[in-house]
């Protein structure tokens, strides 16, 4: 048999296959009952006839993305492969992590030789993940931010913002002469205030590895050099947390907010600690709603002295009595 005859027979087979595929596609485009046009119903995952309503195919799998995009830029922004990147990791989560469990994919324990091999791989993996001093600095700082945020019960968006603030401080060379722990603590304090979930300096100091004075000094330096817009802490933002920790009802929280609003209108909040005002408002609200809460209970929750609570709650009650009905 010559090459020409082989090629001719191959071409005939290819043509027959294409014709068969075309015929099948044509059958799928026409209703087998009435010959009408078939349409795809994405909402019900069905293929139905437009004329007679016959369901030709059902349970179709949508292999497209679960999101919608209305322009090319939005499509590029939403398209993704793998896990999302995050600023809370020094390499933005793009590197590989080797698990600490010495088990294989089936849950079986590794042999001693395999465990030694995995330990060497973990060691080299950590060395490759932090190739220079800047990355080691960032890794240590982000670990500190995550540790303190967990201890303070701060949400993920605050940790992300604190990580971005620290990265900016590192890029603008603000760290020389200051400790990594001090700048990371100041970044977390600023991020919490920006997000409207502030924590007092005393609370930050309780979980930090640096002194309170250094935290305050570094915080002022960072927000000044980076030009961060941080609004003064609102005493009302502390009230829900204090009321929740003391297991107080909504009525007590509402009365505490009313007292603080009256204090703002009267101007007596100026120059006073927002944490102290919030603690005093919660205590005063508990008294007005007949809740059994002592000054010592509020003092422990708010990390503020009982003397401050006594002084402030008298001022709040006097302002409330003098307010117009």
């Amino acid at each position: 048999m010559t090459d020409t005859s082989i090629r001719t027979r191959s071409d005939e087979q290819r043509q027959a296959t294409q014709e068969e595929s075309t015929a099948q596609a044509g059958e799928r485009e026409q209703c087998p009952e009435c010959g009408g046009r078939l349409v795809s119903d994405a909402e019900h995952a069905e293929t139905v006839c437009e004329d007679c309503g016959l369901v030709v195919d059902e349970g179709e799998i949508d292999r497209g993305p679960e999101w919608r995009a209305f322009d090319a830029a939005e499509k590029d922004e939403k398209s993704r492969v793998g896990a999302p990147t995050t600023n809370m990791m020094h390499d933005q989560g793009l590197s590989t992590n080797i698990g600490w469990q010495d088990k294989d994919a089936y849950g079986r324990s590794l042999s001693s030789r395999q465990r030694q091999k995995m330990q060497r791989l973990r060691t080299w993996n950590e060395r490759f993940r932090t190739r220079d001093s800047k990355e080691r600095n960032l890794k240590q700082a982000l670990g500190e931010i995550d540790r303190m945020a967990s201890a303070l019960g701060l949400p993920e968006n605050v940790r992300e913002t604190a990580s971005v603030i620290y990265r900016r401080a590192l890029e603008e060379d603000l760290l020389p002469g200051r400790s990594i722990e001090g700048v990371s603590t100041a970044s977390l304090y600023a991020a919490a205030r920006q997000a409207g979930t502030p924590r007092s300096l005393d609370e930050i100091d309780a979980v930090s590895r640096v002194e309170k004075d250094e935290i305050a000094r570094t915080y002022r330096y960072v927000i000044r050099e980076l030009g961060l817009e941080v609004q003064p802490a609102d005493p009302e933002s502390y009230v829900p947390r204090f009321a929740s920790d003391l297991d107080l009802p909504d009525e007590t929280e509402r009365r505490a907010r009313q007292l603080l609003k009256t204090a703002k209108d009267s101007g007596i909040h100026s120059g006073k600690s927002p944490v102290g005002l919030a603690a005093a408002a919660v205590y005063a609200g508990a008294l007005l709603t007949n809740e059994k809460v002592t000054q010592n209970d509020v003092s422990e929750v708010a990390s503020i002295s009982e003397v401050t609570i006594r002084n402030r709650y008298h001022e709040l009650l006097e302002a409330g009595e003098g307010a117009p009905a």
Side-chain angles (χ1 to χ4, degrees):
M1 185 179 295
T2 62
D3 294 341
T4 304
S5 62
I6 293 175
R7 284 196 299 270
T8 303
R9 183 170 298 176
S10 178
D11 293 340
E12 290 175 356
Q13 292 174 349
R14 189 181 301 109
Q15 185 176 359
T17 303
Q18 291 176 351
E19 290 175 355
E20 183 179 355
S21 300
T22 304
Q24 291 176 354
E27 291 176 1
R28 287 196 299 268
E29 292 175 358
Q30 291 185 348
C31 177
E33 293 290 336
C34 66
R37 190 168 72 92
L38 299 180
V39 294
S40 178
D41 185 358
E43 183 178 354
H44 300 92
E46 296 174 343
T47 299
V48 299
C49 175
E50 199 174 36
D51 296 334
C52 68
L54 175 70
V55 179
V56 179
D57 194 8
E58 62 180 349
E60 297 176 352
I61 298 176
D62 184 5
R63 302 186 183 277
E66 82 283 2
W67 44 264
R68 294 190 301 167
F70 301 99
D71 53 36
E74 190 175 1
K75 182 179 179 181
D76 293 339
E77 181 181 350
K78 290 186 175 181
S79 62
R80 60 188 185 275
V81 176
T85 58
T86 173
N87 284 309
M88 293 187 290
M89 299 182 70
H90 74 282
D91 52 10
Q92 297 188 331
L94 298 176
S95 63
T96 301
N97 290 322
I98 300 177
W100 56 269
Q101 300 93 341
D102 288 326
K103 294 183 179 180
D104 61 11
Y106 300 100
R108 296 190 296 259
S109 297
L110 300 178
S111 64
S112 61
R113 185 174 182 180
Q114 288 175 320
R115 286 198 298 269
Q116 291 175 0
K117 181 180 179 180
M118 292 304 298
Q119 187 57 42
R120 287 197 301 271
L121 287 174
R122 291 191 193 99
T123 302
W124 280 105
N125 184 55
E126 286 299 316
R127 290 175 181 173
F128 283 124
R129 288 181 67 192
T130 53
R131 290 167 293 182
D132 54 29
S133 60
K134 185 177 180 180
E135 289 190 357
R136 287 193 295 271
N137 179 316
L138 192 58
K139 182 181 178 182
Q140 180 182 347
L142 298 183
E144 278 291 296
I145 289 173
D146 187 62
R147 180 189 65 79
M148 291 185 292
S150 298
L152 292 167
L154 292 170
E156 186 173 332
N157 66 309
V158 175
R159 307 182 193 196
E160 190 90 21
T161 304
S163 302
V164 172
I165 292 174
Y166 188 89
R167 287 175 184 272
R168 287 188 56 195
L170 188 61
E171 290 172 0
E172 300 198 15
D173 203 25
L174 301 183
L175 266 71
R178 290 166 182 83
S179 66
I180 295 174
E181 291 82 1
V183 179
S184 58
T185 305
S187 300
L188 183 64
Y189 182 48
R193 292 186 62 173
Q194 281 187 329
T197 55
R199 296 293 186 268
S200 66
L201 264 178
D202 291 323
E203 292 175 295
I204 295 286
D205 178 51
V207 299
S208 178
R209 301 182 195 273
V210 295
E211 298 295 329
K212 182 178 177 180
D213 291 341
E214 183 180 347
I215 297 172
R217 185 169 57 251
T218 307
Y219 165 74
R220 290 192 294 267
Y221 174 74
V222 168
I223 62 172
R224 182 179 68 249
E225 294 298 321
L226 296 181
L228 301 178
E229 294 183 2
V230 180
Q231 298 296 328
D234 187 354
E236 287 189 44
S237 60
Y238 293 95
V239 171
R241 181 159 56 88
F242 294 166
S244 176
D245 292 343
L246 292 167
D247 198 21
L248 294 173
D250 294 340
E251 176 65 18
T252 301
E253 182 179 338
R254 188 178 65 82
R255 294 299 296 271
R257 290 179 179 274
Q258 287 178 347
L259 289 171
L260 288 174
K261 288 179 180 178
T262 304
K264 289 180 185 178
D265 295 339
S266 303
I268 66 172
H269 71 294
S270 179
K272 295 181 175 63
S273 167
V275 181
L277 283 171
V282 169
Y283 177 67
L287 292 180
L288 294 173
T289 54
N290 298 318
E291 294 294 327
K292 295 181 180 180
V293 175
T294 65
Q295 293 180 5
N296 184 53
D297 295 335
V298 181
S299 173
E300 290 181 355
V301 168
S303 299
I304 202 146
S305 68
E306 295 182 33
V307 176
T308 302
I309 296 174
R310 277 196 295 274
N311 293 336
R312 296 292 173 266
Y313 102 86
H314 284 303
E315 295 174 359
L316 291 173
L317 291 177
E318 290 173 3
E321 291 174 359

